[in-house]
């Protein structure tokens, strides 16, 4: 039996009525968080370029573009634009198993197809669960080699989660989901070489678009090689390579705890690359004791993060606000001197303040290879001779062991969405998402997050 069929059989076993209630609650939080960060990203200038290329104004469709002034598009184009917006700020939720962002490629798919088909919130949550389980369990057998080779798992694995979620939204049977996943094998992409540029979030939009495309063509009778994963020239051997993946690790254990519960989904507290969060949190521990540090009083800053994290956050001279999101040097210095990392810190015109520009050459970042891949250390030497140091281990965000409360998540959502929806509209949208009943349709919520009239 092919791998795609084995994976489909397991994915179809996920049912809302038998899943733990906590998993559904996590799903609602994940959807709210993804929509919130997408609304904050809805004004990213490159979304205008995407809309222009897709010509949505000339060909309006049935599906809402979140926070884009009430405009609508085809289901494919809406998934592309909304998926890109969801990852535009790198503020979306994380999975340590996946080494990436599980909800950003999946939520735009399930909400677009809910709008297209009139599906209920319960169906949306069930499809989200399925998508997250598929992409994270693929990661169990492919990482860390897949990541270290240079692939962006949020896109290359997220596209399969999004395709599985689309299959559930369309009520595919095992044969249809097998085909859809096999079609998706030829639609996976995303390279780490474009981290720090607008192409990184575009990876996610493309994954959402391609997942719906795979499902739609499957509905129309498209066929594909059911052995597209394990073929000599298939996904496993080309994207990873012989001897670097473990199929059993992907297919075994589906009768155990769901990935969304253990190790769970981490909600990001800082609007930047998760690989720098440990250094940020170590810096915040220092200032919690010592108070804010003046940039001109610092002799030097030393950071140490895992070499796998440092590989794409070692950016001592960030070129733009977006690039600064991936600079452990910038982020640590910013945390030490201002006490927090905010969305406003990454405006291209103002991100590199004179005091930070002078301080960055005095920040040294090195990599370690310790067993705790999330451990970050910060050491600060002051010009008066004092030395401050601390460490933290942050798994990309606030996960099950230290969860962000619903109130904290609401604050994050409203901070993200207020610019587009207004403060009252942002709070109302969050409350509406979290209060959705399993049998409720999403029309009202989607109208609220469209940005029409704001």
């Amino acid at each position: 039996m092919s791998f795609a069929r084995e994976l489909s059989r397991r994915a179809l076993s996920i049912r809302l009525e038998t899943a733990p209630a906590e998993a559904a609650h996590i799903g609602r939080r994940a959807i709210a968080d993804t929509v919130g960060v997408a609304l904050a990203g809805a004004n990213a200038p490159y979304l205008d370029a995407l809309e222009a290329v897709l010509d949505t104004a000339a060909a309006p469709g049935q599906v809402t573009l979140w926070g884009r002034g009430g405009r609508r598009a085809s289901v494919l184009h809406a998934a592309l634009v909304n998926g890109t917006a969801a990852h535009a700020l790198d503020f979306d939720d994380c999975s340590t198993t996946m080494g990436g962002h599980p909800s950003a490629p999946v939520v735009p798919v399930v909400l677009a197809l809910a709008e297209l088909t009139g599906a209920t919130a319960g169906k949306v949550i069930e499809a989200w669960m399925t998508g997250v389980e598929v992409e994270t369990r693929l990661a169990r057998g492919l990482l860390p080699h897949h990541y270290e080779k240079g692939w962006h798992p949020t896109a290359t694995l997220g596209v399969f989660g999004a395709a599985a979620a689309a299959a559930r939204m369309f009520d595919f049977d095992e044969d249809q989901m097998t085909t859809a996943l096999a079609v998706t094998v030829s639609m996976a992409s995303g390279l780490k070489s474009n981290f720090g540029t607008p192409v990184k979030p575009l990876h996610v939009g493309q994954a959402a678009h391609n997942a719906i495309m795979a499902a739609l063509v499957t509905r129309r009778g498209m066929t594909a090689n059911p052995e597209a994963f394990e073929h000599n020239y298939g996904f496993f051997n080309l994207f990873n390579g012989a001897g670097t993946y473990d199929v059993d690790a992907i297919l075994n254990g589906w009768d155990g705890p769901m990935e969304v519960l253990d190790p769970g989904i981490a909600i990001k507290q800082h609007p930047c690359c998760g690989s720098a969060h440990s250094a940020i949190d170590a810096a915040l521990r220092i200032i919690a004791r010592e108070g804010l540090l003046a940039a001109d009083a610092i002799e030097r800053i030393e950071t140490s993060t895992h070499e796998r994290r440092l590989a794409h956050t070692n950016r001592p001279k960030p070129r733009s606000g977006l690039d600064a999101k991936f600079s452990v040097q910038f982020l640590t210095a910013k945390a030490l001197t201002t006490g927090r990392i905010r969305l406003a810190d990454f405006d291209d015109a103002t991100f590199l303040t004179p005091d930070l520009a002078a301080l960055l050459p005095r920040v040294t970042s090195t990599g370690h290879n310790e067993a705790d891949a999330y451990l970050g250390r910060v050491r600060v030497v002051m010009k008066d001779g004092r030395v401050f140091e601390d460490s933290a281990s942050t798994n990309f965000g606030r996960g099950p062991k230290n969860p962000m409360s619903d109130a904290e998540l609401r604050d994050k959502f409203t901070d993200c969405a207020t610019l587009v929806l207004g403060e009252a509209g942002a709070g109302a949208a969050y409350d509406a998402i979290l209060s959705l009943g399993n049998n409720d349709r999403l029309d009202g919520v989607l109208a609220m997050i469209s940005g029409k009239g704001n």
Side-chain angles (χ1 to χ4, degrees), residues 23 41 196 242 266 336 378:
L336 287 166
V378 172

Side-chain angles (χ1 to χ4, degrees), residues 71-433:
R71 293 193 293 280
R72 301 171 74 81
S74 73
V75 67
L76 287 167
H77 290 175
L80 178 59
V81 174
N82 292 338
T84 302
H87 197 52
L89 302 180
D90 219 284
F91 205 7
D92 39 316
D93 66 17
C94 302
S95 161
T96 55
T97 301
M98 186 179 176
H101 306 262
S103 292
V106 174
V107 172
V109 168
V110 296
L111 293 192
L113 294 180
E115 192 165 9
L116 183 72
T117 64
T120 64
K123 191 175 191 67
V124 165
I125 295 295
E126 184 176 75
W128 173 84
M129 291 179 187
T130 301
V132 173
E133 291 301 304
V134 166
E135 62 195 7
T136 53
R137 288 175 185 274
L138 280 167
R140 286 186 181 186
L142 294 167
L143 266 63
H145 184 81
H146 187 81
Y147 189 89
E148 293 169 348
K149 193 170 183 179
W151 297 114
H152 181 196
T154 305
T156 54
L157 305 185
V159 69
F160 296 110
R168 295 306 299 270
M169 293 298 294
F170 282 133
D171 292 319
F172 279 6
D173 62 20
E174 185 179 304
D175 288 341
Q176 289 172 305
M177 184 181 279
T178 297
T179 298
L181 290 171
V183 171
T184 305
V185 166
S186 287
M187 295 182 168
S189 189
L191 309 178
K192 285 166 63 178
S193 60
N194 267 316
F195 278 20
T197 79
V199 178
K200 183 175 188 275
L202 180 59
H203 290 168
V204 182
Q206 191 68 41
H209 171 281
N210 287 352
I212 294 181
M213 173 71 78
L216 289 174
V217 298
T218 297
R219 289 179 89 203
R220 296 277 186 171
M222 176 71 75
T223 61
N225 181 0
E227 297 179 352
F229 282 93
E230 66 269 34
H231 191 278
N232 284 343
Y233 300 123
F235 184 83
F236 294 147
N237 286 316
L238 292 182
F239 277 67
N240 263 58
T244 67
Y245 58 88
D246 184 349
V247 171
D248 289 340
I250 300 169
L251 295 179
N252 293 341
W254 284 69
D255 55 348
M258 297 177 71
E259 274 278 341
V260 301
L261 297 176
D262 184 17
I265 302 300
I267 302 294
K268 268 194 172 183
Q269 186 171 3
H270 308 303
C272 57
C273 181
S275 290
H277 281 204
S278 292
I280 294 170
D281 287 347
L284 294 178
R285 288 170 65 91
I286 290 173
I287 66 166
R289 295 193 312 268
E290 310 297 339
L292 293 179
L293 305 182
D296 60 4
I298 298 173
E299 177 67 30
R300 67 181 183 274
I301 300 169
E302 301 165 1
T303 78
S304 175
T305 52
H306 195 276
E307 58 187 19
R308 191 159 66 240
R309 313 288 171 220
L310 185 63
H312 56 272
T313 58
N314 187 17
R315 299 171 187 239
K317 298 178 180 179
R319 299 164 294 179
S320 65
L322 183 57
D323 200 31
K325 285 176 175 281
F326 295 86
S327 169
V328 69
Q329 294 90 347
F330 172 90
L331 295 164
T332 306
K334 190 75 176 178
L336 287 166
T337 56
T338 66
R340 61 179 297 189
I341 305 296
R342 304 172 301 165
L343 288 170
D345 292 336
F346 303 101
D347 183 274
D348 281 339
T350 59
F351 82 97
L352 196 58
T353 57
D355 60 337
L356 277 180
L359 178 57
L360 283 180
R362 304 198 298 275
V363 183
T364 302
S365 297
T366 58
H368 66 72
N369 196 26
E370 296 186 34
D372 183 356
Y374 300 100
L375 177 65
R377 296 189 181 91
V378 172
R379 183 173 186 266
V380 184
V381 179
M382 306 298 289
K383 290 182 177 178
D384 62 9
R386 291 178 298 161
V387 177
F388 309 128
E389 52 190 320
D390 217 316
S391 63
S393 181
T394 308
N395 297 358
F396 295 142
R398 298 273 295 276
K401 293 181 179 179
N402 181 28
M404 188 178 287
S405 69
D406 284 350
E408 288 175 317
L409 182 59
R410 191 181 194 276
D411 287 343
K412 175 184 173 180
F413 182 98
T414 54
D415 183 45
C416 287
T418 292
L419 183 63
V420 174
L421 304 183
E423 186 173 351
Y430 177 84
D431 293 340
I433 294 171

